[in-house]
Amino acid sequence: YPGYVYTYKYKTGTIVIEMVDGQSFRAMLEWQESNPGQGQQSGANEVPEMLIRWLATIDGYISNDGDYNADRAKRGMDEAFDQSPYLKK
């Protein structure tokens, strides 16, 4: 099938959140189970780009302070959802 390759480069510690259409994802998994080895261009755990409906990234940075890291991650996730009011938490 036609495929496209997308390359991304993230800093260590970057948090990536992807939301997929559940119905389409389940259909893809069912197809893969009934057609083993067909149509897989990459790892079996990777989600095809066309199924991703929403994506957020929280820029990576890891410090030695676990509390800071957790707070930064929480603030980043809150900001991602604040910027997408059509999503419900």
Side-chain angles (χ1 to χ4, degrees), residues 6-57:
Y6 298 93
T7 304
Y8 301 96
K9 184 175 180 180
Y10 299 112
K11 296 178 197 171
T12 299
T14 296
I15 298 170
V16 179
I17 305 168
E18 296 175 337
M19 286 189 198
V20 299
D21 169 40
Q23 184 176 1
S24 297
F25 184 71
R26 284 188 295 279
M28 179 198 72
L29 292 177
E30 288 173 8
W31 185 88
Q32 285 179 341
E33 286 177 10
S34 62
N35 299 279
Q38 294 183 25
Q40 291 182 337
Q41 295 178 355
S42 56
N45 294 328
E46 293 184 17
V47 176
E49 187 82 19
M50 66 182 152
L51 293 183
I52 298 172
R53 301 293 186 239
W54 183 82
L55 171 77
T57 59

Side-chain angles (χ1 to χ4, degrees), residues 71-82:
D71 185 55
R72 183 188 63 78
K74 182 185 180 315
R75 285 191 327 265
M77 287 183 215
D78 288 343
E79 181 66 23
F81 284 97
D82 287 347

